[in-house]
């Protein structure tokens, strides 16, 4: 019985295969399966070959090299040949526009258009190597700035992978050349450091006139610190240096720091402690991620002490940085190294001794009211080319002495009256082409306080109170 059933089953299967429709379907299905496997195999083989033969480098917009690479891609390349010039044509471009005023107040604005590769795929040639470039914009955005994420991907043959080192070196050289003679000022935006506007022309150190010996003392100390990194390492001392510049407004504290950065070929990383949203954690993180070769500038250091007061009715009492948070960021366990920090304040009496102890502040200097030495140097800088015999300078200094603006009256008694270098500079700028006018208007340097609604006398020079 079982033998008969088995024979029947075999007979039925043979009958199915004898059916031309069934046999054709099986054949087509088999061919489809074989084609699918072949396609998968080809894709896997191509992917493996691509991974073996090609190399990719991805650069995010958050990386400092991103604008350098875009600028490098925008450079014209000559002597490429007929075929190469057509392969490497960039058809999609984007533009960055900068404007600047021409000479003269009424002159039209000068616009400079900087073309760079747009989004999409491009091919460039560097030396004898072809590089595929793909610039993409993602749908996601930076939570701090709202700017969309972007990447640039460079692809070349694995055998030519070392060309990327030359590409990045060339891009960095071009960026350094573009910023030559300029100082980059960074500002904290969210949790990142970003350039604050365009790089500024370096301010000559000689243009900042401080009291005799003050400027030289700071410059010598900073340069000595920069040359002694190994000395700090050998002794297990954190390699960082802190300076506190204090004094009245308009004395040149911030201007000196900017000029010092230019002298050292450093950038300036600026943090305002009284900025709303500046917290202890954010401050500590930013200080550990400072841009390389930069001077840290913490303006109005006394603002951190505002949180020691009782909160207002709305629950906000000014800055969000606490005193302990500032101390930990400067000299705590998580404090960064290789740092030169400058703190400025107009009210040193508001600073706690814990902040200005050695290790957090290593050198304190008062940059105060204008002295006779500073006034004379400033006069020479503005009018030295026309006042060759210095007679005008002596008349100007005598006028300031008579007004008691150096703290002492003509009778030798304390006058309790001072002026600032900013006020003297404002006077000179008001009388650019007439030094006698600066002497005649010297009385305008006497600090004045104007009440609300009070009219300012015609021709008066507004000076800080």
């Amino acid at each position: 019985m079982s033998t008969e059933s088995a024979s029947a089953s075999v007979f039925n299967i043979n009958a199915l295969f004898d059916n031309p429709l069934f046999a054709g379907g099986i054949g087509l299905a088999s061919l489809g399966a074989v084609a699918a496997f072949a396609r998968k195999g080809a894709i896997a083989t191509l992917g493996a070959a691509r991974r073996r033969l090609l190399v990719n480098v991805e650069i995010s917009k958050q990386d400092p090299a991103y604008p350098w690479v875009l600028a490098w891609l925008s450079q014209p390349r000559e002597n490429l040949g007929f075929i190469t010039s057509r392969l490497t044509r960039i058809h999609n471009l984007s533009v960055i526009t900068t404007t600047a005023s021409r000479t003269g107040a009424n002159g039209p604005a000068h616009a400079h258009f900087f073309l760079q590769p747009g989004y999409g795929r491009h091919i460039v040639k560097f030396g004898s190597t072809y590089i595929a470039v793909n610039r993409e914009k993602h749908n996601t955005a930076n939570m701090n700035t709202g700017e969309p994420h972007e990447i640039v991907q460079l692809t070349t043959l694995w055998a030519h992978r070392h060309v990327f080192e030359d590409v990045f070196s060339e891009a960095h050289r071009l960026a350094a050349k573009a910023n030559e003679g300029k100082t980059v000022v960074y500002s904290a935006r969210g949790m990142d450091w970003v350039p604050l506007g365009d790089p500024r022309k370096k301010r000559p150190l000689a243009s900042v006139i401080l009291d005799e010996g003050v400027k030289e003392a700071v410059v010598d100390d900073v340069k000595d610190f920069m040359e002694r990194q190994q000395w700090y390492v050998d002794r297990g001392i954190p390699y960082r240096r802190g300076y506190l510049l204090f004094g009245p407004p308009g004395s040149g504290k911030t201007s000196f720091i900017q000029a010092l950065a230019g002298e050292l070929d450093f950038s300036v990383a600026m943090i305002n402690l009284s900025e709303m949203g500046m917290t202890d954690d954010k401050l500590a993180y930013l200080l550990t991620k400072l841009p390389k070769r930069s001077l840290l500038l913490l303006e109005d250091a006394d603002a951190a002490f505002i949180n020691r007061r009782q909160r207002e009715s709305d629950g906000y009492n000014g800055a969000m940085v606490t005193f302990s948070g500032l101390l930990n960021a400067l000299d705590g366990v998580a404090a960064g190294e290789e740092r030169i920090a400058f703190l400025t304040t107009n009210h040193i009496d508001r600073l706690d001794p814990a902040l200005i102890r050695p290790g957090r502040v290593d050198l304190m200097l008062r940059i105060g009211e204008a002295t006779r030495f500073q006034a004379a140097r400033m006069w020479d800088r503005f009018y030295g080319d026309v006042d060759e015999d210095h007679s005008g300078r002596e008349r100007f200094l005598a006028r300031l002495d008579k007004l008691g603006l150096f703290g002492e009256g003509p009778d030798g008694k304390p006058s309790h009256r001072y002026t600032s270098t900013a006020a003297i500079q404002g006077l000179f700028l008001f009388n650019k082409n007439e030094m006698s006018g600066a002497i005649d208007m010297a009385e305008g340097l006497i600090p004045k306080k104007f009440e609300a609604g009070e009219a300012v006398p015609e021709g008066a020079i507004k000076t800080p109170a």
Side-chain angles (χ1 to χ4, degrees):
M1 185 70 181
S2 59
T3 304
E4 293 178 358
S5 299
S7 300
S9 300
V10 172
F11 177 78
N12 291 336
I13 293 174
N14 290 335
L16 286 174
F17 277 102
D18 288 340
N19 188 315
L21 294 176
F22 181 80
I26 290 292
L28 290 174
S30 301
L31 289 175
V34 170
F37 280 116
R39 181 174 178 273
K40 274 190 172 184
I43 292 175
T45 302
L46 288 175
R50 188 176 187 275
R51 288 191 297 271
R52 292 285 183 179
L53 298 178
L54 301 179
V55 59
N56 300 322
V57 173
E58 185 177 290
I59 308 154
S60 169
K61 189 175 183 179
Q62 282 69 42
D63 192 276
Y66 186 84
W68 304 350
V69 172
L70 288 183
W72 171 79
L73 290 170
S74 306
Q75 296 299 306
R77 293 170 174 82
E78 301 177 353
N79 304 322
L80 295 178
F82 180 79
I83 297 177
T84 303
S85 63
R86 279 148 183 78
L87 284 175
T88 58
R89 284 179 178 174
I90 297 179
H91 297 277
N92 298 327
L93 299 170
S94 61
V95 62
I96 296 178
T97 306
T98 58
T99 59
S101 300
R102 295 183 184 271
T103 303
N106 298 323
H110 173 72
H112 176 71
F113 302 96
F114 178 72
L115 294 175
Q116 59 187 14
Y119 301 106
R121 298 181 181 274
H122 317 282
I123 296 177
V124 297
K125 187 178 181 183
F126 182 71
S128 59
T129 305
Y130 286 93
I131 301 174
V133 180
N134 183 28
R135 184 182 178 193
E136 296 180 354
K137 179 190 291 186
H138 292 177
N139 293 328
T140 58
N142 188 316
M143 296 296 293
N144 296 319
T145 63
E147 296 177 342
H149 289 128
E150 295 181 13
I151 64 165
V152 168
Q153 188 178 70
L154 307 180
T155 304
T156 191
L157 293 173
W158 174 262
H160 298 158
R161 61 190 181 280
H162 300 297
V163 75
F164 290 131
E165 298 176 6
D166 298 331
V167 167
F168 296 140
S169 297
E170 177 71 10
H172 181 260
R173 186 189 65 81
L174 291 173
K177 185 177 180 180
N179 290 332
E180 189 174 350
K182 297 179 181 178
T183 300
V184 180
V185 178
Y186 291 95
S187 177
R189 184 186 298 176
M191 301 298 287
D192 298 321
W193 289 102
V194 296
L196 185 62
D198 296 328
R200 296 152 172 77
K201 290 184 179 179
K202 287 183 180 179
R203 179 164 184 171
L205 192 60
S207 68
V208 181
I209 300 173
L210 304 182
D211 204 7
E212 191 170 8
V214 173
K215 178 169 57 178
E216 292 76 12
V218 178
V219 173
D220 292 344
D221 190 85
V222 171
K223 290 183 177 180
D224 179 75
F225 169 77
M226 293 172 58
E227 295 171 357
R228 291 182 176 269
Q229 182 172 5
Q230 192 59 43
W231 187 91
Y232 280 78
V233 173
D234 293 341
R235 288 155 180 80
I237 303 173
Y239 185 60
R240 48 180 176 255
R241 192 80 170 158
Y243 301 86
L244 174 64
L245 306 182
F246 64 96
S251 55
K253 298 183 291 294
T254 305
S255 299
F256 169 64
I257 296 170
Q258 181 183 351
L260 177 62
E263 175 73 11
L264 302 174
D265 199 21
F266 271 43
S267 58
V268 177
M270 184 173 60
I271 292 181
N272 188 352
L273 295 174
S274 60
E275 177 186 348
M276 184 180 290
M278 182 62 66
T279 63
D280 292 346
D281 292 341
K282 180 178 177 180
L283 176 65
Y285 179 82
L286 289 171
L287 263 58
T288 60
K289 298 295 182 182
L290 281 175
K292 297 298 182 182
R293 293 184 62 83
S294 63
L295 301 180
L296 171 65
L297 173 58
L298 297 173
E299 293 192 293
D300 299 325
D302 54 284
F305 292 81
I306 197 171
N307 275 348
R308 288 188 155 188
R309 301 183 310 187
Q310 187 177 359
R311 292 182 180 271
E312 304 295 341
S313 57
D314 61 355
Y316 179 71
N317 65 344
M320 298 300 291
V321 176
T322 64
F323 175 61
S324 60
L326 176 59
L327 297 184
N328 290 329
L330 291 176
D331 192 30
V333 175
E337 295 197 11
E338 298 187 25
R339 184 183 70 203
I340 302 175
F342 279 87
L343 286 72
T344 66
T345 180
N346 298 330
H347 308 283
I348 192 172
D349 54 298
R350 299 180 184 176
L351 301 184
D352 193 286
L355 176 63
I356 57 179
R357 71 158 176 80
R360 292 174 180 143
V361 171
D362 302 291
L363 183 63
M364 291 190 300
L365 288 170
R366 184 179 190 274
I367 300 181
E369 298 83 359
T371 64
R372 170 181 281 271
F373 174 84
Q374 290 173 282
R377 288 293 184 89
M378 293 180 69
W379 178 276
D380 291 340
R381 187 162 186 85
F382 276 85
Y383 303 115
D385 54 339
V386 294
D387 186 27
E388 296 180 356
D389 59 355
H390 305 305
S391 60
R393 182 183 68 186
E394 296 306 317
R395 285 190 290 132
F396 177 70
L397 296 177
R399 177 72 169 148
L400 298 189
D401 281 330
K402 185 177 180 180
L403 295 171
L405 289 176
F406 296 135
E408 188 177 274
D411 55 359
K413 296 181 180 180
S415 63
H416 304 292
R417 181 183 288 176
Y418 298 93
T419 190
S420 66
T421 53
I424 295 176
Q425 179 174 284
L427 173 66
F428 291 164
L429 290 174
F430 195 80
N431 297 275
K432 300 182 186 69
N433 303 317
E434 189 180 0
M435 64 179 184
S436 60
I439 299 172
D440 296 337
M441 298 177 64
E443 190 174 351
L445 296 175
I446 300 175
K448 297 179 176 65
K449 290 185 179 180
F450 297 102
E451 300 296 334
E454 181 182 351
V456 178
E458 185 177 355
I461 300 175
K462 298 179 183 179
T463 58

